[in-house]
Amino acid sequence: MNVRPQDLDLATAPRPALIDPFARAITYLRVSVTDRCDFRCVYCMSEHMAFLPKADLLTLEELDRVCSAFVARGVRKLRLTGGEPLVRRGIMTLVSSLARHLQSGALDELTLTTNASQLARYAAELKGYGVRRINVSMDTLDPDKFRAITRWGELDKVIAGIDAAQQAGLEVKINAVALKGVNEDEISSLMEWAHGRGMDLTLIEVMPLGDVGETRLDQYLPLSLVRAKLAERYSLDEIDYKTGGPARYMRVAETGGRLGFITPMTHNFCESCNRVRLTCTGTLYMCLGQEDAADLRGPLRASEADDLLHTAIDAAVSRKPKGHDFVIDRRNKRPSLPRHMSVTGG
Ligand code: SAM
Ligand code: SF4
């Protein structure tokens, strides 16, 4: 990948930091590198998804350019996501080129969220480029249930991916979406398994994003209920551990491990939001739970220099809303937003 002169100037030509209208500094960019995936998780996608034409995607060089523009504006953490980031062709070229910002000290962390189906292949390489930890999404330890949730996934491959990641020295955090009547009775065993392998577990409330062919009310399990149930068996102590994301963490005395809760529905965490999300077509969403977005592909392609891009980023951040307003109840049968989670990634 070609490195342009302005990419080398991050340290010498500082640009103003990105501060939104509510005085929140934007220091975290999540990048969906593809909307495609080799799974069809029931809460994320419908079985028959229409994907974007390849011609609409930003090239790997363009993705690098946008990420680097954000790094120049004070973004310290980049997360690659999707769709499934590891199915994007040439993804390691992007990782290796973004790694230069880790080496220069401009970036604190380069990480990814993955379903781990391809992780066994890439784990050692990721570690070699300076990735220290990754999030793996896995909602159950039961192979049949796993297949039912992901429609197409194989649990064995995911476990092999996690094994490879740990062997390579990557820290792994497991993310699980809490699903009513599906993995509800399995959460303590999933937690004991994760903690037994030295991994944090973070639970996520299902969010009403995109039509997935099922009613959200049938999937939605409030984490307040999960927590109350776990508290009957375990001592959960709130701890002040932060990873830069929206999870709130507890220490589980019996396992010694950390348990995170991401509760967009029962507890709104927007007041401390530090992130924006870029899609694989160069659309910037300032909030996961709002429709407003800015096109960065136009300004990116309009000029070799990054001035137009920076102007577009400034305009976008100046419109970052205070927060989302997701609702799941009986009167709201439609998704709050038509966009699927795979467009912006988690
Ligand atoms: N394919 C990768 C994976 O599954 O880790 C990255 C993209 S996926 C969209 C990122 C995260 O979003 C996953 O942890 C997934 O469980 C979560 N997710 C997807 N749809 C969701 C929804 N409707 N509500 C809550 N979380 C969701
Ligand atoms: Fe694919 Fe991740 Fe969505 Fe599952 S949650 S369908 S693995 S993008």
Side-chain angles (χ1 to χ4, degrees), residues 35-45 81-85 113-115 137 149-150 177 341-342 345:
D35 64 332
R36 290 166 198 250
C37 186
D38 51 350
F39 290 4
R40 291 288 181 279
C41 301
V42 291
Y43 45 78
C44 179
M45 294 192 180
T81 173
E84 173 47 41
T113 302
T114 174
N115 65 22
S137 307
I149 294 172
T150 60
V177 176
M341 187 75 168
S342 50

Side-chain angles (χ1 to χ4, degrees), residues 39 86 114-124 126 134 136-138 140-141 143 146 153-170 172 174 193 197 199:
F39 290 4
L86 296 180
T114 174
N115 65 22
S117 67
Q118 317 287 315
L119 191 55
R121 235 167 89 198
Y122 292 123
L126 287 167
I134 55 172
V136 170
S137 307
M138 205 188 98
T140 176
L141 283 167
F146 187 83
E154 284 171 46
L155 184 63
D156 284 358
K157 283 197 185 154
V158 170
I159 303 279
I162 294 170
D163 290 343
Q166 289 197 304
Q167 271 157 26
L170 290 167
V172 179
I174 303 292
W193 172 81
R197 294 186 56 141
M199 306 184 293

Side-chain angles (χ1 to χ4, degrees), residues 65-237:
R65 216 179 124 193
V66 181
C67 291
S68 301
F70 274 96
V71 172
R73 305 298 302 276
V75 159
R76 307 284 313 171
K77 177 168 173 177
L78 278 179
R79 177 178 299 280
L80 305 183
T81 173
E84 173 47 41
L86 296 180
V87 305
R88 171 88 196 238
R89 189 172 300 168
I91 184 66
M92 286 300 142
T93 317
L94 179 64
V95 175
S96 74
S97 106
L98 291 174
R100 72 187 183 280
H101 299 308
L102 288 173
Q103 285 145 18
S104 75
L107 202 58
D108 293 330
E109 181 157 27
L110 174 60
T111 183
L112 77 163
T113 302
T114 174
N115 65 22
S117 67
Q118 317 287 315
L119 191 55
R121 235 167 89 198
Y122 292 123
E125 220 178 323
L126 287 167
K127 175 71 180 167
Y129 290 131
V131 172
R132 281 183 282 115
R133 37 179 207 166
I134 55 172
N135 289 355
V136 170
S137 307
M138 205 188 98
D139 308 319
T140 176
L141 283 167
D142 175 325
D144 295 330
K145 239 189 241 183
F146 187 83
R147 171 51 68 109
I149 294 172
T150 60
R151 292 197 184 100
W152 296 0
E154 284 171 46
L155 184 63
D156 284 358
K157 283 197 185 154
V158 170
I159 303 279
I162 294 170
D163 290 343
Q166 289 197 304
Q167 271 157 26
L170 290 167
E171 206 180 297
V172 179
K173 176 164 82 77
I174 303 292
N175 282 345
V177 176
L179 296 164
K180 185 154 87 182
V182 179
N183 60 2
E184 193 170 354
D185 55 356
E186 222 197 307
I187 286 176
S188 55
S189 45
L190 195 58
M191 179 182 84
E192 295 209 5
W193 172 81
H195 289 177
R197 294 186 56 141
M199 306 184 293
D200 292 349
L201 172 70
T202 294
L203 302 171
I204 307 173
E205 281 174 346
V206 82
M207 288 176 270
L209 290 173
D211 199 339
V212 289
E214 292 187 31
T215 351
R216 292 295 181 182
L217 203 61
D218 294 340
Q219 301 180 329
Y220 173 53
L221 174 62
L223 286 184
S224 48
L225 295 183
V226 175
R227 183 175 160 179
K229 199 141 175 244
L230 286 172
E232 291 170 8
R233 276 182 65 188
Y234 302 94
S235 329
L236 308 175
D237 300 313

Side-chain angles (χ1 to χ4, degrees), residues 7-23:
D7 300 332
L8 300 170
D9 286 348
L10 293 185
T12 50
R15 289 183 184 259
L18 295 169
I19 311 289
D20 82 357
F22 303 95

